[in-house]
Amino acid sequence: MLKRLLALAGGLVLYGVSMSMILHAGLGNIPWDVLHQGLAGQLGLSVGTVTIIVGAAVLVTWLPLRQRPGFGTVSNVVVIGLAFDAASPLLPDHPPLLIAIPMMLGGIVVNAFATALYIGARLGPGPRDGLMTGIVARTGWPVRVVRTGLEVIVVAIGFLMGGTLGVGTVLYAVGVGPLIQWFARVMGVDRAVAGDTGPRRAADPSTGPVSPGPVSPGPVDPTAATPPR
């Protein structure tokens, strides 16, 4: 459990830092951060604070969807926003392209690693991802359709309120899914990232390999465009 808690904490902190890297690069935000940045500008609050508020609001939508938050879910709401605001003063804002491009690309890579790390802890999905899986469970619609629909909506609203949409948004959407899958495989948490949250069991030599059992709707679709939030 200590190892899982450390993985959760490290993953959430790195996720917030990666968000800050991508946003401050100024080349396009993570889809949900387009909304966060737009709201922050309208409300006069920090992006990290808005991230916490939106996360809490999304968590409320779990009630009619009958989703159950875990410790990792609540931690996600708070820690990512705090980590974002802590990292922001240390990063240049809209730097020259020579700095902005590596900062954006590095942010995408760190984001994928952080996602695999905290989802691999198996302590609960992020609030935004739980919203997605809840809608999928209640409607039967495909994960890709629900995820894409949600993110198109939040990007459109955020852009209209002044959030940054650009090449970084596109690169994130295209590249982060494969990166999460690769990191999950390297770290040995690919079963968790694929949605199998059941305990690992060793094979019994007398009966052969043990089937991993049914896969429940989980926190991440590794082939989806973006990681859980």
Side-chain angles (χ1 to χ4, degrees):
M1 179 57 71
L2 177 60
K3 182 178 179 180
R4 292 167 66 193
L5 288 171
L6 290 174
L8 173 68
L12 294 178
V13 169
L14 287 175
Y15 198 103
V17 171
S18 70
M19 283 172 48
S20 191
M21 292 170 66
I22 295 169
L23 187 145
H24 282 277
L27 299 176
N29 296 328
I30 294 172
W32 277 91
D33 284 348
V34 179
L35 174 63
H36 297 152
Q37 186 185 40
L39 279 171
Q42 295 295 320
L43 299 174
L45 301 172
S46 71
V47 174
T49 300
V50 171
T51 299
I52 294 173
I53 294 172
V54 171
V58 171
L59 196 56
V60 173
T61 67
W62 284 31
L63 297 175
L65 296 173
R66 299 178 183 176
Q67 294 288 90
R68 291 185 178 181
F71 176 75
T73 307
V74 179
S75 299
N76 183 296
V77 173
V78 178
V79 175
I80 287 179
L82 294 178
F84 180 98
D85 280 350
S88 289
L90 306 177
L91 296 170
D93 193 32
H94 289 72
L97 287 179
L98 190 63
I99 298 174
I101 292 175
M103 192 162 81
M104 174 195 67
L105 295 176
I108 293 173
V109 173
V110 172
N111 188 278
F113 173 74
T115 298
L117 188 63
Y118 91 76
I119 291 299
R122 301 170 184 250
L123 291 172
R128 297 157 186 81
D129 195 57
L131 172 63
M132 176 196 71
T133 55
I135 293 174
V136 169
R138 300 294 289 176
T139 64
W141 296 342
V143 170
R144 287 182 178 273
V145 171
V146 174
R147 183 159 211 145
T148 301
L150 286 172
E151 292 186 348
V152 166
I153 291 171
V154 299
V155 165
I157 294 173
F159 180 71
L160 291 175
M161 291 191 295
T164 303
L165 178 65
V167 65
T169 311
V170 176
L171 288 177
Y172 182 89
V174 171
V176 79
L179 282 170
I180 292 171
Q181 192 170 16
W182 183 80
F183 277 122
R185 188 179 301 116
V186 170
M187 296 161 60
V189 297
D190 47 319
R191 291 173 71 240
V193 172
D196 180 6
T197 57
R200 292 180 178 271
R201 292 183 295 163
D204 184 344
S206 64
T207 59
V210 177
S211 169
V215 176
S216 61
V220 176
D221 172 9
T223 60
T226 60
R229 288 282 305 285

